[in-house]
Amino acid sequence: MSTSSHSAQRLLPPLQIGPLEVETPVVLAPMAGVTNAAFRRLCREHGGGLYVAEMVTSRALVERTPESMRIIHHDPDETPRSVQVYGVDPATIGAAVKMIAEEDRADHIDMNFGCPVPKVTRKGGGAVLPWKRDLFRDIVRAAVRAAEPHGIPVTVKMRKGVDEDHLTYLDAARTAEKEGAAAVALHARTAADYYSGTADWEAIARLKDAVRTVPVLGNGDIWAAEDALRMVEQTGCDGVVVGRGCMGRPWLFADLQAAFEGRAERVRPGLSIVADTIYRHGELMVDTFGGDENKAMREIRKHMAWYLKGYPVGGEARRALGLVETLAELRGILDSLDLDTPYPGEGAEGARGRQGSPRQPACPEGWLDTQDITPDLEERLREAELSVSGG
Ligand SMILES: Cc1cc2nc3c(=O)[nH]c(=O)nc-3n(C[C@H](O)[C@H](O)[C@H](O)COP(=O)(O)O)c2cc1C
């Protein structure tokens, strides 16, 4: 989709994550319910980068639930194979990482400390966990120790903290660095911010100043390649992590690669390319869900509004796409659209996906009183793993 120009100038060197060299310093953010094998394939067909799977809980992995095994499954040609693990208990995390490593199921493991969902934070998990410094350290240590003998790098993804009065990211990142994490990524919002407002890129710059020996990855509000360039310029980060901006726009990875290579080409698809991509996504989803067309169609429905954002597609077609049940039906509805429709410009750009409003995160009673952990709180934390499903 893009060609190289003679005056191209690389903006950043390749991203070095432990032994892994990622030529284009771009990471697809792990997104539960979105970044499955089908979507990752669509994305990586457009550009270089590191494509992280949906998060999976360490408990589910240890129990080898069918869903967790599906989540960590990669297409045979996918390289590097990246997974994200969420957990609250060092022993379970260690066991899950050991299993992935010993069974050669991934080349990179990311750890999720960013989930702001109330049912998780209420128990002390996700974005509020790094507040308990020793527990955070023990979890990262357990993961790194289990992965290290197999040469698999472990990275840490986190938010700024619980809220502006309880920031954790600088401490946590230094701890992660000391424990052997191969990179740290910051979604520059607090749990209290949820997905509201704009990400605080200055925090990414501060993190870059604080962390000296491993790459710092910036995350939050990259909607276009130009945003990624601005983030690098403003924060000095070593790479960018892109989430919502690529939902319904897997070609954003072509734009990002071009931008990081100093080229001006950008993909601006007309509706016919979008329709072809939706159909291909549908076909890939059927593969991802083991041939279960019904499940695949249920899963792809949520992508429709993202794909069609800004395109003049009427309510009737949108409704039909939102209820699609078979690939044949999908083809029929897509063919009925005015496929000569050009790229709509601004309407297709900008923010998409989750926004939400700020909310004080629910934490266990007394959670914020001390950064130490008690046996009672550890018990509650174990429940935080059972209720997590993304974010
Ligand atoms: C639908 C959805 C699912 C998400 N699931 C995860 C997840 O499984 N693990 C994680 O660390 N972050 C998850 N996130 C957060 C993203 O990885 C990312 O940090 C966040 O969306 C901010 O980046 P963005 O502004 O580029 O979207 C999720 C976000 C969305 C919108």
Side-chain angles (χ1 to χ4, degrees):
M1 269 192 203
S2 39
T3 53
S4 42
S5 89
H6 295 296
S7 57
Q9 264 268 313
R10 292 194 65 89
L11 187 76
L12 281 181
L15 188 56
Q16 196 70 42
I17 299 193
L20 291 181
E21 187 174 281
V22 182
E23 189 67 24
T24 305
V26 171
V27 178
L28 166 65
M31 290 188 284
V34 177
T35 62
N36 58 24
F39 187 65
R40 295 198 306 277
R41 171 172 291 278
L42 276 185
C43 292
R44 68 178 198 274
E45 281 174 356
H46 283 90
L50 177 65
Y51 297 94
V52 188
E54 308 163 84
M55 56 148 272
V56 56
T57 71
S58 58
R59 171 85 61 111
L61 275 176
V62 168
E63 291 172 359
R64 293 178 184 267
T65 66
E67 176 66 355
S68 69
M69 298 319 265
R70 187 216 29 99
I71 288 176
I72 62 166
H73 175 80
H74 290 77
D75 289 345
D77 63 343
E78 185 166 357
T79 177
R81 298 162 301 167
S82 172
V83 301
Q84 190 194 48
V85 179
Y86 170 93
V88 295
D89 170 47
T92 315
I93 283 278
V97 170
K98 184 164 180 266
M99 168 191 145
I100 293 172
E102 282 183 349
E103 297 176 14
D104 186 23
R105 292 178 183 272
D107 306 304
H108 162 237
I109 297 174
D110 185 44
M111 306 285 305
N112 177 350
F113 295 101
C115 186
V117 176
K119 68 179 181 186
V120 169
T121 60
R122 198 177 295 130
K123 305 264 172 54
V128 306
L129 189 143
W131 179 250
K132 300 297 180 188
R133 287 186 290 220
D134 292 353
L135 180 64
F136 172 81
R137 180 203 59 212
D138 290 350
I139 290 175
V140 176
R141 183 177 291 175
V144 171
R145 288 207 177 147
E148 216 162 35
H150 302 270
I152 299 175
V154 171
T155 58
V156 166
K157 178 167 177 282
M158 57 185 143
R159 286 190 177 228
K160 281 168 60 187
V162 180
D163 56 30
E164 289 299 329
D165 294 329
H166 302 88
L167 297 175
T168 51
Y169 68 107
L170 293 174
D171 254 9
R174 286 193 205 99
T175 300
E177 188 182 18
K178 206 159 20 162
E179 293 299 329
V184 290
L186 179 66
H187 177 192
R189 285 187 170 84
T190 63
D193 293 332
Y194 217 68
Y195 286 87
S196 69
T198 46
D200 169 16
W201 289 2
E202 280 175 25
I204 300 170
R206 280 194 290 276
L207 184 62
K208 178 63 190 160
D209 278 343
V211 170
R212 294 294 169 158
T213 62
V214 296
V216 168
L217 306 175
N219 175 224
D221 300 351
I222 291 177
W223 310 110
E226 285 60 37
D227 296 330
L229 299 182
R230 267 193 314 117
M231 182 189 273
V232 169
E233 191 186 315
Q234 288 178 17
T235 70
C237 64
D238 302 292
V240 298
V241 182
V242 180
R244 293 164 297 167
C246 68
M247 295 190 313
R249 295 167 80 215
W251 40 82
L252 180 57
F253 290 95
D255 290 2
L256 288 161
Q257 179 167 345
F260 279 109
E261 289 175 358
R263 291 183 283 111
E265 297 95 349
R266 301 292 181 260
V267 180
R268 297 290 176 258
L271 189 54
S272 111
I273 288 180
V274 175
D276 285 350
T277 308
I278 293 175
Y279 188 73
R280 179 153 158 69
H281 195 165
E283 285 181 316
L284 292 169
M285 286 282 229
V286 176
D287 287 347
T288 290
F289 290 101
D292 184 343
E293 190 168 337
N294 191 266
K295 165 86 175 150
M297 294 302 104
R298 270 185 282 127
E299 285 294 321
I300 199 157
R301 290 175 193 165
K302 67 175 163 232
H303 294 262
M304 299 301 178
W306 300 327
Y307 275 117
L308 297 176
K309 181 178 176 321
Y311 291 83
V313 169
E316 203 179 315
R318 285 174 187 267
R319 262 191 305 282
L321 287 167
L323 295 169
V324 69
E325 287 185 347
T326 64
L327 274 175
E329 198 189 334
L330 178 60
R331 179 82 276 166
I333 305 167
L334 294 170
D335 286 346
S336 76
L337 304 179
D338 178 2
L339 296 176
D340 292 330
T341 306
Y343 184 70
E346 237 171 68
E349 293 162 16
R352 51 182 57 219
R354 273 180 202 177
Q355 318 258 286
S357 38
R359 54 187 85 178
Q360 199 47 37
C363 293
E365 179 89 27
W367 186 256
L368 296 174
D369 296 349
T370 159
Q371 293 204 261
D372 300 326
I373 188 85
T374 59
D376 173 49
L377 284 173
E378 274 191 34
E379 190 50 43
R380 295 186 71 152
L381 262 157
R382 273 191 270 281
E383 293 168 40
E385 180 155 348
L386 299 178
S387 54
V388 70
S389 58

